[in-house]
Amino acid sequence: FKENRKDDIWLVDFYAPWCGHCKKLEPVWNEVGIEMKSMGSPVKVGKMDATSHSSIASEFGVRGYPTIKLLKGDLAYNYRGPRTKDDIVEFANRVAGPLIRPLPSQHMFEHVQKRHRVLFVYVGGESPLKEKYIEVASELIVYTYFFSASEDVLPEYVTLPELPAVLVFKDGTYFVYDEYEDGDLASWINRERFQGYLDVDGFTLYELGDTGKLVAIAVIDDKNSSAEHTRLKSIIQEVARDYRDHFHRDFQFGHMDGNDYINSLLMDDLTIPTIVVLNTSNQQYFLPERQIENTEDMVQFINNILDGTAEAQGGDGFLQRIKRIIYDAKSTVVSVFKSSPLLGCFLFGLPLGVISIMCYGICTADTDGGLDESESLKRENGDRELTDEGSEEEQEEKKEKYTELSDGELKQKTILEKKKD
């Protein structure tokens, strides 16, 4: 494989035999292989035990399991999307194909536009902008499609201020890249590769972290059709659509089904439905001080975040990291006991029992030792007293002698005895 892999395009799953996520992916991966073969794709699908072939895994930068990579010539593209058959197959077909796909006719343009929710198009001839476009496409092809077309292929409603130009078609409209307002082309494409409003999950939220945008999410229950749930979702959708020109450079909008993922992210229990704004770059988040009743309230909340008057919570400071360690440990213990109480008792009860026995043994040994030492000291002191003062009979004789002596003699006797001592 190492010698001949450059002759073909490979989609490889690097796995570990003991990895639970790898075992979960295995049936999906078999479906991917069958699908790619049935559609006549040039991509060959395989999997490799990264623990047995650690040198090859290290060569491709595999650090976690499972890792999915598409190997095309000297390039290796990482897959970072949902681990479903359709998403993986779509990724393989996109990356394995041409970097820039030409659109020769309006019919082809309409066909592509129906298939893809977001697509980028370069319009014009050879230029430095096209060179930059190709360079960006080689990096971001893992996320989205890149096309090229002539001006007469575009829909009639499209007007371009000048050529060459780069456009993004999404959300039922289009937007033209402006170097002076939008900055670097790569950054602009990275920001615009998502729709204005998204159904957010863990994978999407992870990818949104690369855009540098704040993420405004309505946390709801999709199965709950009550007015409160639908109202918050509608408010976010309206702001994403009607205030795009104001907020699209700084904010991404969407909704998330359920609060389990958000709770683990914020280390807090959010009551749904609610609205939260996440800063995925530094793990800060913002909660509205009062209930969001309408679009104007949401716009005001966003403006407060932008001007710094809204209070930021969380973050990646030292205390938050300590809190995260404690929270993760607590969550792990709870999840283990919920899934398998007997296993939890064994994993956590046995070490605690051993430590308790060791502590008890140490404390008991110290106490006995202390008592023995105390008794020995008493014995030594008793022997010393007997040695220094003599027996009881000798003490009585001394008392009688002291009584017979006069006071002067007694003093003289005492002095002599001290000198002798």
Side-chain angles (χ1 to χ4, degrees):
F1 169 77
K2 191 173 181 181
E3 294 174 355
N4 302 320
R5 72 167 186 85
K6 292 184 181 181
D7 298 336
D8 299 291
I9 301 174
W10 280 91
L11 183 67
V12 182
D13 167 29
F14 293 91
Y15 72 97
W18 44 261
C19 172
H21 295 292
C22 301
K23 294 176 181 177
K24 188 176 180 180
L25 177 64
E26 186 173 358
V28 176
W29 196 251
N30 292 335
E31 293 178 3
V32 169
I34 294 171
E35 178 77 10
M36 297 297 287
K37 186 176 181 179
S38 64
M39 65 193 308
S41 172
V43 179
K44 292 187 175 181
V45 181
K47 61 181 181 178
M48 178 177 290
D49 183 349
T51 59
S52 298
H53 306 283
S54 56
S55 60
I56 297 179
S58 178
E59 179 183 340
F60 291 117
V62 176
R63 293 181 176 84
Y65 310 111
T67 293
I68 298 172
K69 288 179 177 284
L70 187 132
L71 310 177
K72 184 180 179 182
D74 293 324
L75 300 175
Y77 297 91
N78 287 329
Y79 176 70
R80 295 171 57 184
R83 290 167 187 160
T84 64
K85 183 199 75 173
D86 292 339
D87 287 303
I88 295 173
V89 168
E90 199 270 343
F91 161 81
N93 289 332
R94 181 174 67 248
V95 179
L99 195 61
I100 309 295
R101 290 171 165 83
L103 297 174
S105 65
Q106 286 188 355
H107 177 73
M108 180 62 73
F109 184 93
E110 292 171 1
H111 173 72
V112 168
Q113 196 171 17
K114 289 178 182 178
R115 287 191 58 194
H116 305 296
R117 296 175 181 176
V118 179
L119 64 141
F120 293 89
V121 181
Y122 173 83
V123 182
E126 298 297 326
S127 68
L129 181 61
K130 184 176 183 179
E131 293 177 3
K132 183 66 176 177
Y133 183 73
I134 294 172
E135 179 185 337
V136 175
S138 65
E139 178 184 351
L140 300 181
I141 188 67
V142 294
Y143 300 120
T144 188
Y145 285 89
F146 294 88
F147 298 91
S148 64
S150 59
E151 190 174 8
D152 58 352
V153 169
L154 301 178
E156 294 181 358
Y157 62 82
V158 176
T159 57
L160 298 176
E162 60 181 359
L163 291 178
V166 177
L167 301 85
V168 59
F169 290 84
K170 66 177 185 177
D171 302 330
T173 185
Y174 71 97
F175 305 97
V176 182
Y177 166 68
D178 187 324
E179 183 179 0
Y180 298 102
E181 291 187 5
D182 299 318
D184 181 62
L185 179 62
S187 299
W188 179 77
I189 291 178
N190 197 36
R191 290 196 306 268
E192 295 290 346
R193 63 187 174 91
F194 295 98
Q195 292 178 279
Y197 182 87
L198 296 170
D199 183 355
V200 181
D201 56 15
F203 280 108
T204 307
L205 198 58
Y206 178 75
E207 287 190 7
L208 287 172
D210 295 337
T211 66
K213 291 184 179 183
L214 300 175
V215 187
I217 303 175
V219 186
I220 61 173
D221 183 358
D222 275 340
K223 298 178 182 177
N224 192 325
S225 59
S226 65
E228 184 66 13
H229 288 258
T230 56
R231 183 178 62 82
L232 289 182
K233 184 178 177 180
S234 298
I235 288 173
I236 295 289
Q237 287 175 329
E238 289 175 14
V239 173
R241 182 185 65 245
D242 300 338
Y243 291 84
R244 174 189 156 81
D245 292 340
H246 296 85
F247 301 134
H248 81 278
R249 286 185 175 86
D250 301 303
F251 281 85
Q252 175 66 51
F253 299 93
H255 79 273
M256 177 174 281
D257 181 22
N259 61 349
D260 292 340
Y261 187 84
I262 290 292
N263 287 344
S264 64
L265 197 65
L266 307 187
M267 296 180 288
D268 198 359
D269 292 324
L270 292 184
T271 303
I272 57 173
T274 188
I275 287 177
V276 60
V277 175
L278 304 173
N279 187 339
T280 55
S281 63
N282 61 7
Q283 299 181 12
Q284 286 185 343
Y285 63 95
F286 301 86
L287 296 173
E289 295 181 354
R290 58 190 178 88
Q291 189 173 2
I292 302 295
E293 298 288 348
N294 48 47
T295 305
E296 288 72 22
D297 289 343
M298 187 65 200
V299 171
Q300 183 60 49
F301 177 44
I302 292 175
N303 285 327
N304 291 341
I305 294 174
L306 290 175
D307 61 27
T309 57
E311 181 184 359
Q313 302 182 48
D316 54 1
F318 178 75
L319 293 179
Q320 284 296 121
R321 293 178 184 178
I322 297 298
K323 184 179 178 182
R324 169 61 64 185
I325 293 172
I326 296 172
Y327 180 86
D328 289 343
K330 180 181 176 182
S331 301
T332 302
V333 173
V334 171
S335 63
V336 168
F337 273 99
K338 281 184 177 180
S339 60
S340 178
L342 292 177
L343 179 62
C345 292
F346 177 77
L347 290 177
F348 299 104
L350 183 61
L352 289 174
V354 172
I355 293 172
S356 299
I357 293 171
M358 291 176 63
C359 291
Y360 176 77
I362 292 171
C363 294
T364 305
D366 287 342
T367 304
D368 294 343
L371 290 173
D372 293 342
E373 186 177 349
S374 177
E375 291 177 1
S376 63
L377 286 173
K378 286 181 180 179
R379 292 194 192 98
E380 290 179 5
N381 290 335
D383 294 342
R384 192 175 296 162
E385 288 175 0
L386 290 173
T387 304
D388 292 341
E389 298 180 5
S391 63
E392 292 182 1
E393 294 178 358
E394 291 175 348
Q395 294 294 327
E396 290 294 329
E397 290 179 2
K398 286 183 179 180
K399 287 181 181 179
E400 291 178 0
K401 288 181 180 179
Y402 283 137
T403 304
E404 294 175 357
L405 294 173
S406 63
D407 291 341
E409 292 175 341
L410 183 60
K411 289 179 181 179
Q412 186 176 3
K413 183 69 175 176
T414 303
I415 291 169
L416 290 173
E417 286 184 355
K418 284 182 178 179
K419 287 182 177 180
K420 186 181 292 185
D421 289 341

